[in-house]
Amino acid sequence: MRAFAGLLAVLAGAARAEPLNLEVANLLGAATVYFGEKAEKSRVVLVAGEKGDADLRIYVEDPKSLPEQRRFNLAFAKQEVAFSGLMAGTEASLAVTDRGSLVVKSQNIAIGRNKWETAITIVKKGGDYLVAGVTRSSASTSRIHSPRQASMPA
């Protein structure tokens, strides 16, 4: 729960020029999002982190770049934004809602008896990237009942 409390704070990041160079092997997801009131074109990437997690990077299109030579500058970066495993069913991913919000998804629906999914919705307001919502669902797939839960014949 502490991790979510930290994410609920303003996700402010200083803009700086950095090329959009990524190792394809580290790429978990990518999306184009039109953020904010101005609907500025952004390229969002989710890359594998160093601790079995996912790092988020948001690049904003440079308005001074020519259409044939589009440049994107790093506007925001956050390490360890989501869990990401190596197996199918445990990988982090990105999605864009119908309203143009970014959703960072993480899950463990592949292994263990406790399955869970988390979705963090990110928007841009007033120049800051904000967490607009966190959705978490979980379920146990255990079919073993303790004696208290089992029905006993009378």
Side-chain angles (χ1 to χ4, degrees):
M1 208 57 183
R2 285 185 189 167
F4 291 126
L7 285 174
L8 294 176
V10 174
L11 299 176
R16 63 178 191 256
E18 181 177 300
L20 185 56
N21 295 332
L22 301 169
E23 292 285 330
V24 174
N26 294 336
L27 188 64
L28 298 172
T32 299
V33 182
Y34 293 87
F35 272 122
E37 299 83 16
K38 297 179 183 178
E40 62 188 5
K41 187 175 185 177
S42 302
R43 302 278 194 216
V44 181
V45 292
L46 197 62
V47 294
E50 297 177 5
K51 301 177 185 175
D53 52 19
D55 299 342
L56 180 69
R57 297 181 191 161
I58 300 174
Y59 295 87
V60 177
E61 186 173 27
D62 184 344
K64 296 176 185 174
S65 64
L66 301 172
E68 61 275 359
Q69 296 177 339
R70 289 192 178 131
R71 287 192 320 258
F72 289 82
N73 297 322
L74 182 64
F76 175 80
K78 176 73 176 160
Q79 292 181 320
E80 302 175 24
V81 74
F83 166 80
S84 187
L86 299 175
M87 297 174 44
T90 64
E91 297 172 325
S93 63
L94 293 174
V96 180
T97 68
D98 293 339
R99 298 183 73 182
S101 301
L102 175 68
V103 180
V104 180
K105 298 180 178 184
S106 58
Q107 63 184 359
N108 179 16
I109 58 171
I111 58 173
R113 81 172 214 200
N114 295 317
K115 312 294 186 195
W116 58 267
E117 296 176 287
T118 300
I120 301 167
T121 304
I122 299 172
V123 298
K124 186 173 184 181
K125 296 247 185 209
D128 293 323
Y129 295 95
L130 307 172
V131 172
V134 176
T135 305
R136 184 164 169 83
S137 62
S138 63
S140 176
T141 57
S142 173
R143 292 204 163 101
I144 301 172
H145 299 286
S146 68
R148 287 186 187 169
Q149 296 172 332
S151 46
M152 301 277 192

